[in-house]
Amino acid sequence: MERSAKDYLFQQIALITQAIANPHRLELLDLLVQTPRSVEQLAQASAMSVANTSQHLQRLKQAGLVVGERQGTTVIYRLTDPVIIRL
């Protein structure tokens, strides 16, 4: 494997492990395993503020674990891949 490919792979693994190393983000992933939800729905279900939930979702999004899809004025978040359930 080429050095740059290894560096990229290790960087991606680090992003993912940092993203899931937080109990709040793990809870958000658990909620998204059940069904796609809006930031507001996730905030309510996890007893976090909308702002805090949004920040956690951005970390999960940067790690490639979730994606947001705009539906009108609302963004609905879902897992990027069902294999994430195995986490």
Side-chain angles (χ1 to χ4, degrees):
M1 182 180 272
E2 206 176 295
R3 183 75 232 170
S4 62
K6 276 187 174 182
D7 289 344
Y8 176 77
L9 176 64
F10 295 148
Q11 182 180 12
Q12 290 306 110
I13 292 170
L15 275 173
I16 291 168
T17 55
Q18 288 171 1
I20 64 173
N22 180 288
H24 296 295
R25 289 192 285 271
L26 284 175
E27 181 178 11
L28 293 175
L29 287 174
D30 181 56
L31 290 167
L32 291 172
V33 163
Q34 299 166 23
T35 187
R37 300 172 195 242
S38 69
V39 176
E40 292 78 10
Q41 291 169 325
L42 288 164
Q44 184 178 16
S46 63
M48 289 190 287
S49 70
V50 170
N52 197 13
T53 301
S54 183
Q55 288 178 345
H56 285 301
L57 286 168
Q58 290 310 307
R59 287 291 301 270
L60 293 171
K61 194 174 177 182
Q62 289 171 349
L65 298 172
V66 302
V67 64
E69 296 174 346
R70 185 163 294 282
Q71 293 181 359
T73 59
T74 304
V75 176
I76 302 296
Y77 286 88
R78 64 172 177 79
L79 298 180
T80 54
D81 191 320
V83 84
I84 294 168
I85 294 168
R86 294 182 189 166
L87 288 175

